């Protein structure tokens, strides 16, 4: 298939939460660059807590023109799924869709292509089978392409100029207003001129199977502070707000930022940071979007490479274990061996290595955006 000629309306299906949307930014950036005058509409998942993460990520990025929340992905009732699907169909049917895209890895795509056909989309793109994603036999895992690159490959049939693997743009075009809002928050908490380097720590995750022990984060944070000084910001969502304050009190230093900033303000803060340290979680992808180098601590539950921080310069700490690929949300047989084997000294060395690399010295200034 060659590149579509006149494209006025593009419909994109993308399900998932915070990180799932951020890793779609490279593909959406390529679409926007190729079709600057087209109207791009994103159909996005509503999370269990009622949040539409796509809105928090992409408004007002300019990468899409409209976001339509869709409640059917995780609806408990089959009737509710059908009702939500019919409501979405009625909302979208009047528009002549020139291009419809199921923007996901092959293992996750189900009814989206059928829905796009029902809407009469002239051209429909879906991922080609790649044999990656989903549950893999334990002990047989090989590195796979990053999910962001797999989403870019969905666009390959259009003949667009796609970036090389790992070279797509994760930026979501943070606005001057969002930068100013973050600066105002920094002044309110007395951190606008805090000493550098600024270190972002995200010690939380939505899956117990990906949680490195909090006691080890405490040990790393204290040793980093002893070695380089600086200012630590504890990131997270509203559900971690209280816990982050307790953690900072326990450390005796740091700024609790969890729940105080929205996603895009959080990315603005991360642009000021020299290092991200944390689990495999949405905050990690925010750091990548901000251009901040990561020390990312990974369990062995999923395939290596798939969800790692996108691009060069990051350090991924992951130990190979016989039970990797389990896809469990909570380890129930090996006491989290894959994470237990990652020690404090290993994480500290990785963090110090990034902080000593002063290729971007401006990030050490205590300064302005």
């Amino acid at each position: 298939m060659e590149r579509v000629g006149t494209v006025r309306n593009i419909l994109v299906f993308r399900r998932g939460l915070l990180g799932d949307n951020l890793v779609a930014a490279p593909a959406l950036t390529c679409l926007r660059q190729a079709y600057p005058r087209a109207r791009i509409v994103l159909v996005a998942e509503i999370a269990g807590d009622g949040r539409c993460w796509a809105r928090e990520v992409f408004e007002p990025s300019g990468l899409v023109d409209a976001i339509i929340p869709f409640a059917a992905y995780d609806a408990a009732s089959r009737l509710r799924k059908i009702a939500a699907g019919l409501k979405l169909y009625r909302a979208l049917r009047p528009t002549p869709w020139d291009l419809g895209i199921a923007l996901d890895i092959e293992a996750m795509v189900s009814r989206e292509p059928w829905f796009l056909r029902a809407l009469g989309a002239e051209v429909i793109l879906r991922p080609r089978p790649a044999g990656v994603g989903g549950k893999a036999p334990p002990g047989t895992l090989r590195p796979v392409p990053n999910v962001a690159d797999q989403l870019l490959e969905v666009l390959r049939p259009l003949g667009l100029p796609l970036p090389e693997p790992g070279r797509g743009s994760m930026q979501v075009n943070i606005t001057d207003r969002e930068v100013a809002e973050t600066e105002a928050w920094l002044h309110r908490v007395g951190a606008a001129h805090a000493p550098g380097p600024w270190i972002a720590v995200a010690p939380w995750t939505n899956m117990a199977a990906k949680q490195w022990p909090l006691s080890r984060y405490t040990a790393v944070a204290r040793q980093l502070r002893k070695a380089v000084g600086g200012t630590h910001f504890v990131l997270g969502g509203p559900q971690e707000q209280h816990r982050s304050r307790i953690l900072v009190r326990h450390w005796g230093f740091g700024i609790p930022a969890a729940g105080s900033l929205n996603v895009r303000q959080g990315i603005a803060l991360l642009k000021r940071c020299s290092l991200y340290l944390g689990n495999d979680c949405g905050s990690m992808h925010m750091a990548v979007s901000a251009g901040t180098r990561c020390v990312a601590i990974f369990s062995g539950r999923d395939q290596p490479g798939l969800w790692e921080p996108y691009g060069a310069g990051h350090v991924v700490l992951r130990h190979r274990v016989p039970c990797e690929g389990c896809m469990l949300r909570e380890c129930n047989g090996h006491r989290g061996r894959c994470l237990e084997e990652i020690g404090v000294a290993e994480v500290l060395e990785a963090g110090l290595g990034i902080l000593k690399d002063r290729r971007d010295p401006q990030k050490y200034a205590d300064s302005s955006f």
Side-chain angles (χ1 to χ4, degrees):
M1 181 191 303
E2 295 184 357
R3 182 171 170 176
V4 179
T6 303
V7 175
R8 295 173 298 273
N9 296 295
I10 301 173
L11 183 60
V12 181
F13 278 82
R14 177 66 184 151
R15 66 185 303 175
L17 307 181
L18 174 55
D20 304 278
N21 281 283
L22 282 165
V23 297
L28 292 174
T29 297
C30 286
L31 269 182
R32 175 55 76 201
Q33 291 172 346
Y35 305 110
R37 298 182 181 179
R39 183 170 183 262
I40 302 177
V41 176
L42 180 64
V43 176
E45 180 175 357
I46 297 177
D49 59 2
R51 301 173 77 174
C52 179
W53 286 100
R55 282 183 167 168
E56 301 204 21
V57 170
F58 295 121
E59 289 182 348
S61 69
L63 297 180
V64 298
D65 297 289
I67 298 170
I68 300 179
F70 185 40
Y73 279 119
D74 291 321
S77 161
R78 183 178 179 85
L79 286 177
R80 290 184 64 185
K81 288 186 178 182
I82 293 173
L86 288 173
K87 181 180 178 180
L88 181 66
Y89 178 83
R90 286 194 295 268
L92 297 174
R93 188 65 184 92
T95 302
W97 299 104
D98 303 296
L99 176 58
I101 305 172
L103 194 62
D104 216 321
I105 60 176
E106 192 271 339
M108 296 299 294
V109 171
S110 56
R111 298 180 179 85
E112 292 89 347
W114 175 87
F115 200 90
L116 289 166
R117 284 193 293 272
L119 288 170
E122 292 188 16
V123 176
I124 298 174
L125 298 183
R126 61 171 297 163
R128 291 173 290 180
V132 298
K135 188 170 183 177
T140 64
L141 301 189
R142 297 179 180 177
V144 299
N146 190 281
V147 66
D149 285 326
Q150 292 190 47
L151 300 185
L152 281 164
E153 281 299 315
V154 176
L155 308 181
R156 178 77 61 186
L158 293 173
L160 306 182
L162 299 179
E164 294 295 319
R167 301 296 296 273
S169 173
M170 282 271 283
Q171 294 186 32
V172 290
N173 304 326
I174 303 302
T175 65
D176 290 344
R177 177 177 178 177
E178 289 161 336
V179 168
E181 290 167 347
T182 305
E183 178 76 6
W185 174 80
L186 286 166
H187 278 280
R188 286 197 301 273
V189 298
H193 302 289
W198 287 11
I199 300 169
V201 184
W204 331 104
T205 175
N206 60 358
M207 293 186 196
K210 299 193 293 184
Q211 177 68 60
W212 199 54
L214 281 176
S215 60
R216 298 189 185 183
Y217 277 109
T218 296
V220 172
R222 286 175 172 167
Q223 292 185 51
L224 279 174
R225 181 173 173 83
K226 182 178 180 180
V228 300
T231 302
H232 290 64
F233 292 86
V234 179
L235 306 184
Q239 67 275 19
E240 284 96 31
Q241 188 171 43
H242 181 63
R243 296 167 69 196
S244 71
R245 291 172 178 169
I246 293 175
L247 188 63
V248 164
R249 285 200 298 269
H250 176 59
W251 289 356
F253 59 87
I255 307 293
S260 298
L261 302 170
N262 64 32
V263 169
R264 295 175 61 83
Q265 292 165 346
I267 293 173
L269 172 63
L270 281 158
K271 285 178 177 288
R272 297 279 298 273
C273 294
S274 301
L275 170 67
Y276 166 90
L277 166 64
N279 297 314
D280 165 20
C281 64
S283 296
M284 178 193 74
H285 298 292
M286 289 169 59
V288 175
S289 181
T292 301
R293 294 175 63 186
C294 301
V295 172
I297 301 171
F298 269 69
S299 73
R301 69 178 299 274
D302 211 334
Q303 292 174 290
L306 187 63
W307 289 103
E308 292 175 6
Y310 187 62
H314 308 293
V315 178
V316 175
L317 300 177
R318 172 181 171 134
H319 284 208
R320 306 301 297 266
V321 292
C323 54
E324 66 178 353
C326 65
M327 292 302 292
L328 294 173
R329 298 183 68 87
E330 184 171 356
C331 182
N332 59 10
H334 297 272
R335 298 183 180 179
R337 175 181 169 185
C338 55
L339 288 170
E340 283 293 328
E341 290 187 0
I342 300 173
V344 168
E346 185 179 0
V347 176
L348 178 64
E349 181 182 5
L352 289 173
I354 288 179
L355 291 174
K356 289 176 182 177
D357 181 358
R358 295 177 177 258
R359 285 181 293 183
D360 187 4
Q362 201 162 5
K363 283 194 173 183
Y364 284 80
D366 94 358
S367 63
S368 58
F369 285 82

